[in-house]
């Protein structure tokens, strides 16, 4: 064996190690890129859910004010007993509004009518009543009706809200527009030292013309119906309605105005993240009742991070690196054995004695060795080869080396092997061999040519090592990189790889490709009530049900959390896709009696099809995702077909930079920017 050949053989372990680490690095880099996209998708979806929940809560409060305004328009004079009856029948018996400190009516009082007004209230039931704060003003307002009329709310009875600048701005805006107006941040009069919260008020004007459609500037103002909001309680109540498992452990911030300034902070639960500031958060504007709130969220650190790092990525890195090191060590052992055997074989060849060959090499080596003549017939084999193959030595002498063929390699494989062996005198690689028992195992085989003094081939020496377990470990690494550990389904990395491949084929052959994006409705309550162990079992059952519905050739993927995606290559028309979607919805609704009869799950499905709804992987996935959320918001309709691709706005990079036209930015805030002082 030449020095050049020996050097090549001894570098093989390093080549194996470098190759394994390179593959692991490539897979991890791709997983990081997909993780960044996944973080943005989850964070923006959660932000939409939070904004929708807060807006829905505020709309309920305005609807209550509309009912109260209708009561005042229907009666010339509503006293406190009638108002209490209204409150109990309409508010308490329907649903007591969480986060609402009080609901009431504030009367508009010109300065000339102040004494008459105070006298009327004193003669009705409240002899000590007076408008406060005292002092001469051109006009006044006074809280005349208020529920619940408890000890804390009684402190604000008779309060002139019009005397305070922030409240006055909202009251003037409501009176001038004839519509509801939301105030800026205030400290409610009712607040005490116990659990003080930021507050805000919503005003709705009441006119003497009882709501007839006249111009607002010509109406005669009677006063305002209003609701007092304790913002911490209100936002927490709204968040309780968000059906998104990613909300657990995630932070939510709300600012009054367009920028996340400390002085404008209305609500913040960033302490969930155990740090003093939010980083990599997303923001969206909420325009409501003439005022803008800036709502921001940041995902829990247990979810995929903004740089794409997740627990599964670390696991794959560890598994891939460990597998590469093990493979390099095994190769090193094989190389050492090969060099030792080659040296021993050379010594035996010099002596020309076949017995010396057997005693010095074969029986002393723990590696399986088989020697064949140039015609490919077995001349000798050691006991390790007998143990590995299951054949006795007497059975294989004179047989061709092809007796171990498994049928898993074609003729081209063996032709390439012999061509390299004849040209270079050496071949190495993995082969599948069939043992005497019929079992097929994977062996690492190295074949060396032994020549005489005239450089003519005398023998071929083959050395075999069983590497089946190593191969299975490598396959497990590849499987883990592309499959979900809980359900065994394809993960997002595999989905994106297959979607890109199918889109390329569709563009070449002119057929359709479709995505069905599914999200489980009612899954969060299952986790909250029964625990994550039952939740995981529900996901496994749903995955098995979906797997039975899809066709051969379709790819079912668990996108993450309780979201699934079905990739349909060579997709049919939309009617066929909708039919498949309804089948998936129906199986999701079937009982989960093996776990608990009380579990009730459904699914919302969004459908997007190439080329109608997108030309790239990202466009098609976004279109299906948007359609799914449209179905989720449409009550009673679990199925939506995409209306087309809508590009996602780029997030801004700095917390204090102005937001884009879509109200999104991705930025961090200092600790000081998170802390604000209330004022009233």
């Amino acid at each position: 064996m030449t020095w050049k050949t020996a050097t090549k053989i001894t570098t093989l372990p390093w080549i194996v190690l470098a190759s394994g680490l390179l593959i692991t690095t490539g897979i991890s880099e791709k997983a990081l890129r997909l993780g960044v996209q996944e973080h943005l998708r989850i964070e923006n979806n959660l932000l939409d859910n939070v904004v929708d929940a807060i807006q829905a809560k505020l709309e309920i409060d305005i609807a209550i004010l509309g009912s109260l305004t209708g009561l005042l328009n229907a009666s010339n004079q509503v006293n406190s007993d009638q108002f209490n009856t209204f409150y109990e029948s309409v508010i308490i018996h329907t649903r007591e509004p969480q986060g609402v400190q009080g609901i009431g009516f504030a009367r508009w009082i010109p300065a000339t009518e102040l004494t008459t007004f105070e006298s009327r209230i004193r003669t009705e039931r409240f002899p000590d009543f007076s408008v406060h704060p005292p002092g001469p003003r051109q006009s006044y307002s006074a809280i005349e009706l208020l529920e619940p009329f408890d000890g804390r709310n009684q402190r604000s009875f008779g309060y002139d809200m019009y005397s305070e600048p922030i409240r006055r701005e909202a009251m003037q805006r409501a009176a001038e527009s004839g519509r509801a107006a939301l105030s800026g941040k205030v400290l409610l009069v009712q607040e005490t030292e116990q659990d003080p919260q930021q507050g805000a008020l919503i005003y709705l004007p009441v006119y003497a013309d009882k709501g007839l459609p006249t111009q607002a500037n010509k109406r005669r103002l009677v006063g305002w119906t209003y609701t007092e909001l304790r913002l911490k309680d209100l936002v927490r109540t709204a968040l309780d309605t968000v059906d998104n498992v990613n909300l657990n452990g995630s932070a939510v911030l709300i600012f009054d105005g367009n920028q996340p300034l400390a002085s404008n902070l209305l609500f913040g639960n960033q302490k969930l993240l155990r740090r003093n500031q939010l980083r990599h958060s997303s923001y969206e504007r909420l325009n409501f009742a003439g005022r803008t709130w800036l709502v921001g969220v940041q995902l829990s650190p247990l979810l995929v991070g903004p740089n794409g790092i997740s627990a599964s990525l670390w696991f794959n890195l560890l598994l891939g690196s460990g597998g590469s090191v093990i493979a390099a060590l095994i190769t090193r052992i094989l190389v050492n054995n090969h060099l030792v055997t080659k040296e021993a074989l050379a010594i035996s060849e010099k002596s020309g004695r076949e017995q010396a060959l057997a005693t010095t090499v074969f029986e002393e080596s723990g590696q399986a060795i088989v020697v064949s003549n140039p015609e490919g017939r077995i001349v000798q084999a050691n006991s390790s080869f007998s143990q590995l193959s299951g054949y006795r030595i007497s059975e294989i002498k004179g047989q061709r080396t092809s007796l171990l063929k498994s049928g898993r390699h074609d003729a081209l494989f063996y032709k390439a092997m012999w061509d390299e062996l004849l040209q270079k005198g050496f071949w190495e690689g993995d082969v599948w061999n069939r043992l005497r028992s019929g079992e097929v195992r994977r062996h690492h085989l190295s074949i060396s040519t032994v020549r005489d003094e005239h450089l003519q081939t005398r023998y071929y020496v083959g050395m075999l090592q069983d590497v089946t377990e190593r191969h299975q470990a490598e396959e497990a690494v590849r499987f883990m990189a592309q499959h979900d550990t809980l359900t065994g389904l394809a993960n997002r990395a595999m989905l994106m790889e297959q979607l890109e491949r199918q889109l390329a084929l569709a563009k070449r052959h002119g057929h359709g490709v479709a995505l069905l994006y599914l999200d489980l409705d009612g899954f969060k309550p299952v986790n909250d009530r029964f625990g994550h162990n039952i939740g995981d079992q529900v996901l496994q059952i749903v995955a098995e049900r979906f797997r039975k519905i899809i066709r051969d050739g379709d790819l079912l993927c668990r996108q993450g959390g309780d979201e699934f995606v079905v990739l349909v290559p060579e997709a049919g028309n939309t009617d066929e896709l909708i039919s498949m979607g309804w089948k998936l919805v129906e199986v999701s609704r079937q009982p989960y009696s093996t776990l608990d009869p009380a579990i009730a799950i459904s699914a919302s499905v969004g459908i997007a099809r190439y080329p109608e709804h997108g030309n790239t992987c990202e466009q098609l996935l976004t279109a299906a995702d948007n359609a799914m959320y449209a179905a989720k918001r449409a009550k009673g309709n679990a199925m939506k077909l995409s209306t087309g691709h809508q590009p996602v706005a780029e997030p801004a990079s700095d917390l204090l930079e102005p937001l884009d036209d879509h109200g999104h930015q991705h930025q961090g805030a200092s600790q000081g920017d998170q802390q604000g002082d209330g004022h009233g």
Side-chain angles (χ1 to χ4, degrees), residues 198-404:
Q198 302 294 347
L201 299 99
I202 303 176
Y203 295 97
L204 193 63
V206 179
Y207 300 105
D209 56 18
K210 302 188 182 300
L212 296 178
T214 59
Q215 296 182 359
N217 58 4
K218 294 183 180 180
R219 292 176 172 178
R220 185 166 64 84
L221 183 68
V222 175
W224 297 264
T225 57
Y226 72 95
T227 180
E228 298 170 312
L229 307 177
R230 302 187 83 216
L231 294 178
K232 184 189 297 184
D233 293 340
L234 180 134
V235 176
R236 286 177 175 171
T237 301
L239 295 181
D240 287 341
T241 67
V242 174
D243 187 11
N244 190 323
V245 295
N246 298 316
L247 181 61
N248 294 331
S250 296
V252 177
L253 284 178
I254 301 177
F255 297 90
D256 182 25
N258 291 320
Q259 298 298 330
L261 303 177
S263 58
N264 295 338
L265 182 66
L266 299 176
F267 174 85
N269 65 345
Q270 66 272 27
K271 292 182 179 179
L272 291 174
L273 297 179
R274 298 180 182 176
R275 60 169 71 111
N276 294 326
Q277 64 183 20
L278 289 181
R279 292 174 289 182
H280 306 289
S281 52
S282 293
Y283 288 94
E284 182 176 328
R285 292 191 184 101
L286 170 60
N287 297 312
F288 186 84
R291 197 159 193 91
T292 298
W293 285 358
L294 187 65
V295 182
V297 300
Q298 178 175 309
L299 296 186
S300 165
L302 300 179
L303 299 172
V304 59
N307 51 7
I309 295 177
S310 62
S312 61
L313 175 67
W314 290 115
F315 178 78
N316 289 336
L317 277 174
L318 180 61
L319 195 58
S321 301
S324 300
V325 172
I326 292 173
L329 291 175
I330 293 175
T331 304
R332 179 65 181 173
I333 294 172
L334 293 175
V335 168
N336 288 340
N337 288 340
H338 179 75
L339 293 175
V340 170
T341 303
K342 288 276 289 184
E343 185 178 355
L345 188 60
I347 295 173
S348 298
E349 182 64 21
K350 281 184 179 181
S351 68
R353 299 181 180 276
E354 193 171 316
Q355 185 62 37
L357 176 69
T359 57
T360 59
V361 181
F362 292 3
E363 300 307 322
E364 294 182 10
S365 175
Q367 190 172 10
I369 304 173
V370 59
V371 181
S372 64
N373 59 24
E375 289 75 34
R377 295 192 178 274
I378 297 175
V379 175
Q380 188 58 282
N382 66 355
S383 58
S384 295
F385 179 84
S386 179
Q387 294 174 4
L388 180 141
S389 66
Y391 288 99
R392 295 190 297 272
I393 303 299
S394 59
E395 291 181 297
I396 60 175
K397 276 191 175 182
Q399 297 287 336
R400 288 194 173 275
T401 52
S402 58
L403 87 159
L404 296 182

Side-chain angles (χ1 to χ4, degrees), residues 80-93:
S80 58
D81 291 335
Q82 292 171 328
F83 183 61
N84 176 262
T85 301
F86 165 82
Y87 180 79
E88 291 183 352
S89 61
V90 177
I91 307 302
I92 297 180
H93 293 168

Side-chain angles (χ1 to χ4, degrees), residues 131-149:
V131 175
H132 60 93
R137 295 186 284 278
Q138 292 182 351
S139 55
Y140 301 81
S141 74
I143 297 176
E144 181 178 343
L145 300 173
L146 179 60
E147 287 291 341
F149 200 62

Side-chain angles (χ1 to χ4, degrees), residues 89-243:
S89 61
V90 177
I91 307 302
I92 297 180
H93 293 168
T94 303
R95 182 183 178 186
E96 186 169 2
Q98 300 295 320
V100 174
Q101 174 62 35
I103 301 169
F105 169 68
R107 186 173 294 277
W108 171 250
I109 310 168
T112 56
E113 300 177 9
L114 177 63
T115 302
T116 303
F117 172 75
E118 289 181 332
S119 297
R120 178 173 64 83
I121 301 300
R122 289 169 184 166
T123 57
E124 287 180 356
R125 284 175 54 183
F126 305 97
D128 297 328
F129 176 83
S130 63
V131 175
H132 60 93
R137 295 186 284 278
Q138 292 182 351
S139 55
Y140 301 81
S141 74
I143 297 176
E144 181 178 343
L145 300 173
L146 179 60
E147 287 291 341
F149 200 62
D150 53 20
R152 175 179 281 197
N153 274 347
Q154 288 176 12
R155 297 173 57 189
S156 65
F157 186 46
Y159 176 61
D160 181 5
M161 293 186 286
Y162 201 76
S163 66
E164 191 275 317
I166 296 178
R167 293 174 173 85
R168 180 168 60 248
E169 185 277 332
M171 296 168 80
Q172 289 175 339
R173 185 156 34 89
E176 293 171 359
S177 66
R179 294 187 294 270
L182 176 64
S183 77
K185 180 177 67 172
V186 300
L187 187 66
L188 299 179
V189 177
Q190 296 93 323
E191 288 293 350
T192 63
E193 295 181 357
Q194 182 178 1
D195 188 26
Q197 299 184 21
Q198 302 294 347
L201 299 99
I202 303 176
Y203 295 97
L204 193 63
V206 179
Y207 300 105
D209 56 18
K210 302 188 182 300
L212 296 178
T214 59
Q215 296 182 359
N217 58 4
K218 294 183 180 180
R219 292 176 172 178
R220 185 166 64 84
L221 183 68
V222 175
W224 297 264
T225 57
Y226 72 95
T227 180
E228 298 170 312
L229 307 177
R230 302 187 83 216
L231 294 178
K232 184 189 297 184
D233 293 340
L234 180 134
V235 176
R236 286 177 175 171
T237 301
L239 295 181
D240 287 341
T241 67
V242 174
D243 187 11

Side-chain angles (χ1 to χ4, degrees), residues 310 497 593 642:
S310 62
E497 179 181 312
S593 53
S642 174

